[in-house]
Amino acid sequence: MTPTPIQQQMYTRERRGIFRSTEGYDTIAKSDGLDPNFIKKVLHPFCVYDAPAGLTARGEKDDAAYPKAVHLFHTDTGQMVLGCSVYQATDFTGLRSAFFSHNYVIPAERAADTARDYVSLLNASFAESYDIETGMTLPELERLPVAADPSLPASPAALLASLGIDEKLFKQLLFAIMSSVATKRKVYVALDVPVESMSGNARQLLSVLYASLPYAYRSVLGFITYAMEPKSKKGIHLTFVEQGSLRPNDRNIDKDYTFDLASQRVTNVDIDFAKQPYLSFAWSNLEHPDRADSFYQFAEQMLADMDPKRHTAIASYHELAVFFQIEEGNDALYDANRSMVLRAMLEYLSPAGAIAAKERLNDLFLGRFNREFEQAKQRQVPELSIVKCFKEYNELDGANMGNNLIGYLICAIYNAAMDKGKERVESFYGLIESHPELSRSFFDTVLRGGKSKELFEPYIQHKFHAAQKAIDVVQLAHHWSSMHPQVLRDAYFMELASTQLVEKLRREVEPVAAVNEVLERIARLPSDDSRSSGADYAMFMERLSYAANVFLLSDLDLEQVRKESFLQIDFLQHPHEVKQWVARFNQQVQSQAAVMLSAYRWFSERDPDATVFDDLSLTEMDRVQQLGRSWLQKELVPAQFGRLVLAFYREADRALVEYGALLHYLNQHAPDKETVYQFMNWSEKHPLFAGSRKLIPAYATAIVSYFTKYDRDAFKKRTNRQYFAQAGTGLQAVYEKARLELSSPFMKLIRRNRKASLFSLAAVVVIGGALIGLFAAGVFDKDKLALADKSAEDAKTLGDVQTAVDKQPAVFARDVEENVDGVKKLATELVFDFGTASECTAFQAKAIIVKLDDGTERSFTDKQLQHACTTAAGSGETSSAGATSGTSDSSSSDTAADSDNSAESDKSGDSNNEDGADSAADKKSADAGNVEVKDGDNVAEAANGALNAEGSDTAPGTDSSQSAGQASGEPKYQVVVPLGEQLTLANINQVIVDGKLIPYIVK
């Protein structure tokens, strides 16, 4: 196929041109293959020449004295443009100077080959004038015209020395050019030579630089051999500029690479040559072009399938230069950094098909492996990074290290283990595990090759110990027995798996659930795999299941197991098999099994009975019952009463049930008192608690004891009546006995001596009637005033004492109109109510906190208190006495009963009476004398109505007139505290005064 020809274009100042009809600068001739737009946009910007300042200043007329500006660049479409601009002292008019440019446009498909022939590029011949009268069409060329005597330096080193470029400066310049290709930063060089010879010296230096550049750089490098000033141009990397043009601190070039050879000033090229192996390699090749070309061919082959960016990355050539020199036999470069060299080789061998295509590099890598293997055989422990490189190489497509890698790994791990390098050993095993096929081959070899004790046992022990849960042990055991069936004949492995399973079960929070999960997983593990099938595997899995079940028998802490978990133990459903199974174990395990079977029956059967304790020793029975009590604590509902009874069953002691302990247990754990009453009613129909007509005496005694110890107010609360009313005859009798035990001593006397009491009460009634008659006759008028005074004084004393004990201050809030800074505004004040003048007078409030519904608090300190502690009737004390004197005389008939009842209430610790309404009505009726006494029994009933304090809602000694006064809403004694600001009354929640909570009343 005939290659695409090279196009030409010429540009200068003429009478006319291709693109203009008047005189001026324009393209005056071109090849037909050039596109006009390409000429205008790409070529015209490079058709320029600025004469050196020194020559124009002295008026130099000799065209040959002016340096030629040879330029070369590559277009975006891959074409190469090689041209030259020369100075002309006169143009076609003979009156002014001009310049002439001649460009060759080399097509893209020929550019790469041409770039390698840098000698032709640097010695191409160009036209320096053209007569437009001969025509404006230039011929297309088959090849680039080259000067008859190409100018090449006899010695690159000598040329560099003549230009003042030493090794350091050469490396800096080469680095700058290679970096410019990748970073687009420009390189400007001012040679220390006369301007007349500047272009020739530049091309000589370019020939040395081209010889030191790999092919990829040559294919993209752009240069200009002369420019008056540094100026950035697209596609130009290296520009030779006139001396004096590289001025310090020039902001236009402050980020570029500059080399002023006259002053030896270099900018932006501070590099560590120790980390730039290619630069040293290139320097060593200056006088050895054949070696350099051999390297370039090697590099081109290594980079052929790599990312295009790698072709012009200087780091690539650092690596390749090292490979090339190691291949030459320079092992010192490998020994200096073995892992980095191997890692770099792997990158070039990783692309698909690279191992076959890069045979030289592959052989070099395998040579390094053989070298490392020999060292491992000499008991050296390799670095992890080196082992990792060989492992990764073995995974590449086309790599086949065979058993050599396995042997190398065995040596490496063995050496590390002998060297006590535990971390290194674990790291090596980690690498092996990361590749399943390698792991299988490695451990199969170890298990077959007699190194099991040294290499396998420590490893597998570490794996089992590292497992977090019991299920992880099962998975690990399955994996190894599936992948390496040899372990099924390894006693150490089998025993380790079983013991570690039990060890992990001991750490489980829910051991029963963990055992069930283990058993389910074993049942679901695949058994049809060719490597995991067979009798050996089945026996191994059965052994693990057995170990898990034995754990439940021998190690399970029953006291820590939840009932729900316990009932999930599968083998307890088969008691006969369990008993046969545990017969082979010691007495402790047999006892544990008996306890578990008993507990399972107790809580799994619908209606368990005492037979669940059959064949248990006293100790075992006690253990089962303790377990049951702990499980029932949060399940005390009627449906569980039958199971609860078994927790306190004691037939062996001839007391069928520990009744007292049972009721004590209910008192401790029942959710409420009503549950206890429900149990009592339920128990009345149970043969362990009652006979045909009455409760078992020991149980009756326990019920009475329960009420006197734990529930003294049970019979006072109306809400409990429904439970007591439901009781049968036998239980009602016990309830009556308990009620009597809880009554006052006086009532006990009446009830226990009913006949004598009736006569005594009748006498009291008769005497009382006689006294009333005497009062009506005026017999006692003379003592009336004294008696009234004494009664008033006694009432006053009693009222004050009772008020001090029972009366608590209360507080409410209200809004009032206040004058604040001369303006009337609403403000909030707190009003505190007191029962006595003394409390009112003594009240102080240094710090008041008002809590609102939204959780916020308002604090008020040192507020002015307005005490209103007297009434219109006189002093507070007088008012208090007056209120007390209004107490009905009939209340005296209740004094004895109230006093006894108060003592009983205080003893029980509960003064709350929910039957107050009924009791108060009964009391009022008795006090009014409305009881009709017809016979002895009726007299007793009347006495009960007057004297029995059970169910009374009014506390002993309560001032009835005082209660009435409070009910009217009119407080007697108040302290007002203005807050000085308005609060939303509806939002007030609590009032705290000096740290004490005061009851708040919403009005």
Side-chain angles (χ1 to χ4, degrees):
M1 181 177 179
T2 304
T4 305
I6 297 172
Q7 308 293 315
Q8 298 186 76
Q9 177 254 359
M10 294 181 181
Y11 180 96
T12 190
R13 179 179 174 80
E14 265 293 351
R15 298 178 182 86
R16 65 184 183 279
I18 292 177
F19 303 110
R20 60 185 299 169
S21 58
T22 59
E23 67 177 40
Y25 283 103
D26 193 11
T27 295
I28 61 173
K30 74 177 185 66
S31 299
D32 291 338
L34 283 179
D35 180 68
N37 286 330
F38 178 83
I39 295 173
K40 291 178 181 180
K41 293 182 179 180
V42 178
L43 299 182
H44 279 186
F46 283 88
C47 295
V48 64
Y49 186 89
D50 294 320
L55 297 181
T56 57
R58 73 187 188 205
E60 180 62 54
K61 300 298 183 182
D62 183 7
D63 293 354
Y66 289 81
K68 296 177 181 180
V70 179
H71 58 262
L72 181 148
F73 66 92
H74 300 266
T75 68
D76 293 338
T77 54
Q79 297 149 303
M80 179 191 294
V81 176
L82 177 64
C84 180
S85 296
V86 297
Y87 179 79
Q88 291 178 329
T90 58
D91 63 358
F92 68 94
T93 65
L95 300 176
R96 56 194 305 176
S97 63
F99 67 88
F100 183 88
S101 298
H102 181 197
N103 286 305
Y104 298 108
V105 180
I106 304 170
E109 60 267 26
R110 301 178 62 174
D113 294 335
T114 306
R116 296 193 183 191
D117 187 11
Y118 64 90
V119 175
S120 298
L121 293 177
L122 297 176
N123 289 277
S125 60
F126 300 94
E128 296 183 2
S129 63
Y130 183 74
D131 185 358
I132 63 173
E133 299 302 329
T134 62
M136 292 186 175
T137 300
L138 297 174
E140 295 178 338
L141 305 175
E142 294 298 327
R143 64 180 57 85
L144 192 66
V146 179
D149 53 342
S151 176
L152 291 173
S155 170
L159 174 66
L160 295 176
S162 67
L163 295 175
I165 300 176
D166 59 9
E167 179 181 355
K168 177 182 177 181
L169 193 56
F170 171 78
K171 291 179 179 179
Q172 289 178 315
L173 180 58
L174 186 61
F175 172 84
I177 293 171
M178 297 177 77
S179 178
S180 175
V181 171
T183 65
K184 309 305 180 184
R185 296 168 72 177
K186 306 302 181 181
V187 181
Y188 298 105
V189 179
L191 297 175
D192 186 16
V193 297
V195 70
E196 294 86 349
S197 62
M198 176 179 169
S199 182
N201 282 284
R203 279 186 283 177
Q204 291 277 317
L205 179 56
L206 277 168
S207 68
V208 176
L209 294 172
Y210 262 100
S212 301
L213 288 172
Y215 297 149
Y217 286 97
R218 298 182 191 181
S219 299
V220 295
L221 180 64
F223 63 82
I224 296 177
T225 61
Y226 161 74
M228 186 178 70
E229 292 280 348
K231 186 179 294 185
S232 176
K233 283 183 175 290
K234 184 179 180 181
I236 300 299
H237 305 95
L238 172 62
T239 302
F240 292 89
V241 297
E242 185 179 0
Q243 281 194 55
S245 63
L246 297 178
R247 291 174 287 275
N249 303 320
D250 186 345
R251 296 184 63 183
N252 293 323
I253 58 174
D254 60 351
K255 294 183 180 179
D256 295 318
Y257 304 112
T258 65
F259 296 82
D260 190 342
L261 300 188
S263 63
Q264 293 290 299
R265 182 168 56 85
V266 178
T267 64
N268 300 323
V269 196
D270 297 325
I271 56 176
D272 183 357
F273 293 110
K275 298 180 181 180
Q276 306 289 328
Y278 176 73
L279 301 181
S280 298
F281 180 68
W283 175 259
S284 67
N285 287 335
L286 283 178
E287 303 296 339
H288 304 283
D290 293 339
R291 182 178 182 233
D293 285 337
S294 178
F295 168 73
Y296 300 145
Q297 294 169 13
F298 171 77
E300 187 175 46
Q301 182 185 22
M302 296 302 109
L303 291 165
D305 53 3
M306 305 292 283
D307 188 323
K309 292 182 180 180
R310 294 290 300 268
H311 294 213
T312 53
I314 191 171
S316 299
Y317 296 94
H318 292 325
E319 296 166 347
L320 293 170
V322 171
F323 301 163
F324 186 83
Q325 294 176 83
I326 293 174
E327 186 184 43
E328 290 180 328
N330 189 354
D331 289 334
L333 290 176
Y334 172 74
D335 293 333
N337 206 329
R338 296 182 294 167
S339 61
M340 286 188 64
V341 172
L342 293 172
R343 176 60 56 191
M345 288 184 182
L346 274 178
E347 291 185 23
Y348 292 93
L349 292 171
S350 294
I355 289 181
K358 303 174 184 179
E359 185 177 356
R360 289 175 61 184
L361 186 61
N362 186 58
D363 291 343
L364 184 64
F365 185 90
L366 291 177
R368 299 308 97 193
F369 170 74
N370 293 333
R371 193 167 182 265
E372 293 290 341
F373 196 178
E374 287 300 321
Q375 292 179 352
K377 291 177 180 178
Q378 301 300 319
R379 297 298 178 87
Q380 290 189 17
V381 180
E383 295 293 331
L384 174 64
S385 57
I386 293 175
V387 178
K388 188 175 183 180
C389 288
F390 294 139
K391 175 256 182 185
E392 292 180 7
Y393 170 83
N394 194 57
E395 297 170 7
L396 297 178
D397 183 29
N400 184 17
M401 303 180 76
N403 292 329
N404 288 335
L405 179 61
I406 302 300
Y408 173 70
L409 291 171
I410 289 175
C411 286
I413 296 174
Y414 183 82
N415 294 343
M418 294 300 100
D419 197 40
K420 301 188 184 303
K422 180 180 178 181
E423 293 183 2
R424 186 74 60 86
V425 170
E426 292 177 359
S427 300
F428 290 157
Y429 279 125
L431 289 179
I432 295 171
E433 291 171 351
S434 65
H435 193 271
E437 191 58 38
L438 175 63
S439 177
R440 177 178 293 184
S441 299
F442 175 83
F443 285 106
D444 280 349
T445 303
V446 169
L447 290 168
R448 288 195 307 264
K451 292 290 185 182
S452 178
K453 187 171 186 62
E454 295 83 357
L455 300 183
F456 176 69
E457 291 184 5
Y459 167 80
I460 200 63
Q461 183 185 56
H462 172 75
K463 297 299 292 183
F464 276 120
H465 285 171
Q468 295 296 314
K469 303 175 73 62
I471 196 66
D472 299 331
V473 173
V474 173
Q475 284 295 103
L476 193 61
H478 169 70
H479 168 78
W480 279 92
S481 58
S482 300
M483 297 296 292
H484 308 280
Q486 302 96 313
V487 300
L488 294 173
R489 296 183 295 275
D490 189 311
Y492 178 83
F493 174 82
M494 303 276 280
E495 181 64 23
L496 181 65
S498 299
T499 56
Q500 283 300 303
L501 175 62
V502 173
E503 182 63 28
K504 298 301 185 292
L505 287 173
R506 290 193 181 104
R507 302 178 187 175
E508 294 281 358
V509 177
E510 295 285 351
V512 176
V515 169
N516 289 336
E517 184 182 14
V518 164
L519 298 177
E520 290 173 8
R521 181 65 59 87
I522 291 175
R524 288 188 283 107
L525 285 174
S527 58
D528 57 347
D529 186 284
S530 60
R531 297 183 65 98
S532 62
S533 61
D536 289 342
Y537 177 79
M539 289 179 62
F540 179 46
M541 291 297 110
E542 184 178 348
R543 178 173 180 173
L544 294 181
S545 300
Y546 182 81
N549 282 322
V550 169
F551 162 79
L552 294 178
L553 279 176
S554 59
D555 286 23
L556 184 63
D557 186 354
L558 293 177
E559 285 68 26
Q560 301 300 321
V561 177
R562 295 183 301 110
K563 182 194 74 174
E564 294 76 13
S565 297
F566 177 81
L567 295 178
Q568 293 175 2
I569 299 178
D570 184 67
F571 64 74
L572 294 178
Q573 299 178 30
H574 312 284
H576 181 68
E577 289 82 352
V578 171
K579 291 176 182 178
Q580 290 182 332
W581 176 33
V582 300
R584 74 188 70 175
F585 292 95
N586 59 32
Q587 183 58 40
Q588 183 178 356
V589 175
Q590 293 180 29
S591 176
Q592 173 90 339
V595 169
M596 294 174 70
L597 289 171
S598 174
Y600 185 82
R601 278 194 60 197
W602 183 3
F603 284 89
S604 62
E605 293 181 0
R606 180 184 296 273
D607 296 309
D609 56 26
T611 60
V612 300
F613 303 131
D614 286 354
D615 301 326
L616 293 182
S617 67
L618 291 178
T619 302
E620 291 168 349
M621 181 176 175
D622 182 67
R623 188 180 175 198
V624 173
Q625 289 181 316
Q626 289 295 338
L627 186 63
R629 292 173 191 176
S630 67
W631 287 346
L632 287 168
Q633 284 181 10
K634 296 181 180 179
E635 298 182 0
L636 290 178
V637 295
Q640 296 288 5
F641 287 166
R643 298 188 204 280
L644 175 63
V645 171
L646 295 178
F648 297 90
Y649 179 74
R650 278 292 182 270
E651 184 180 24
D653 298 337
R654 296 188 178 182
L656 297 179
V657 175
E658 292 180 288
Y659 303 108
L662 171 58
L663 294 178
H664 174 73
Y665 177 89
L666 280 168
N667 177 66
Q668 283 187 311
H669 303 295
D672 48 45
K673 297 294 185 183
E674 288 77 3
T675 302
V676 182
Y677 309 148
Q678 289 175 326
F679 176 81
M680 291 177 180
N681 291 344
W682 172 87
S683 67
E684 188 179 14
K685 300 175 183 179
H686 196 285
L688 291 178
F689 295 86
S692 58
R693 300 183 60 185
K694 63 180 180 179
L695 299 187
I696 292 175
Y699 181 45
T701 302
I703 291 177
V704 173
S705 177
Y706 164 80
F707 284 110
T708 58
K709 288 182 179 179
Y710 309 122
D711 200 0
R712 300 184 64 83
D713 294 320
F715 300 103
K716 296 179 183 180
K717 297 180 180 179
R718 179 183 299 176
T719 55
N720 294 343
R721 291 178 180 176
Q722 58 175 317
Y723 301 107
F724 302 140
Q726 294 171 2
T729 304
L731 185 58
Q732 283 285 6
V734 177
Y735 284 158
E736 285 299 323
K737 184 176 181 180
R739 184 183 284 109
L740 175 62
E741 288 297 318
L742 294 172
S743 63
S744 66
F746 183 72
M747 289 307 303
K748 290 179 182 178
L749 178 64
I750 290 177
R751 291 177 178 177
R752 291 170 181 169
N753 302 278
R754 182 173 294 273
K755 291 185 178 180
S757 298
L758 291 177
F759 286 113
S760 300
L761 181 60
V764 171
V765 172
V766 172
I767 295 172
L771 290 175
I772 292 173
L774 292 175
F775 271 110
V779 174
F780 299 103
D781 285 346
K782 61 182 179 180
D783 296 323
K784 186 174 183 179
L785 181 61
L787 180 61
D789 290 343
K790 188 176 187 305
S791 299
E793 182 177 353
D794 291 343
K796 171 181 177 299
T797 303
L798 179 61
D800 283 350
V801 171
Q802 181 61 37
T803 298
V805 173
D806 295 323
K807 183 66 176 176
Q808 293 293 331
V811 61
F812 67 91
R814 66 190 179 193
D815 285 341
V816 297
E817 194 175 65
E818 293 183 0
N819 191 331
V820 181
D821 297 330
V823 180
K824 290 185 176 181
K825 296 182 178 179
L826 284 178
T828 300
E829 62 183 17
L830 299 178
V831 181
F832 294 83
D833 291 342
F834 296 89
T836 66
S838 59
E839 288 182 336
C840 177
T841 304
F843 179 74
Q844 296 295 325
K846 295 183 179 180
I848 299 175
I849 297 176
V850 179
K851 292 188 175 182
L852 305 179
D853 285 339
D854 59 2
T856 60
E857 298 181 356
R858 299 300 311 276
S859 298
F860 304 91
T861 57
D862 299 324
K863 289 295 182 179
Q864 183 177 2
L865 276 60
Q866 302 172 1
H867 289 75
C869 301
T870 59
T871 65
S875 68
E877 296 299 329
T878 302
S879 297
S880 177
T884 306
S885 64
T887 305
S888 174
D889 290 340
S890 64
S891 66
S892 62
S893 63
D894 293 338
T895 303
D898 288 347
S899 176
D900 289 342
N901 192 34
S902 176
E904 288 294 320
S905 176
D906 289 344
K907 183 177 180 181
S908 66
D910 184 359
S911 62
N912 183 27
N913 188 347
E914 297 183 7
D915 294 337
D918 292 347
S919 297
D922 294 342
K923 174 177 179 294
K924 181 176 181 180
S925 176
D927 289 348
N930 293 331
V931 180
E932 182 178 359
V933 182
K934 294 182 179 180
D935 52 35
D937 289 337
N938 288 339
V939 170
E941 292 298 322
N944 278 333
L947 300 176
N948 189 359
E950 295 174 26
S952 176
D953 207 354
T954 305
T958 300
D959 188 338
S960 60
S961 67
Q962 193 177 91
S963 299
Q966 291 178 2
S968 69
E970 285 295 322
K972 295 180 179 181
Y973 312 105
Q974 294 181 338
V975 176
V976 179
V977 182
L979 300 181
E981 64 181 80
Q982 187 178 18
L983 304 178
T984 303
L985 301 185
N987 290 343
I988 297 177
N989 185 285
Q990 291 181 344
V991 176
I992 300 174
V993 178
D994 295 335
K996 181 179 181 181
L997 179 66
I998 306 298
Y1000 181 73
I1001 302 172
V1002 179
K1003 292 197 174 184

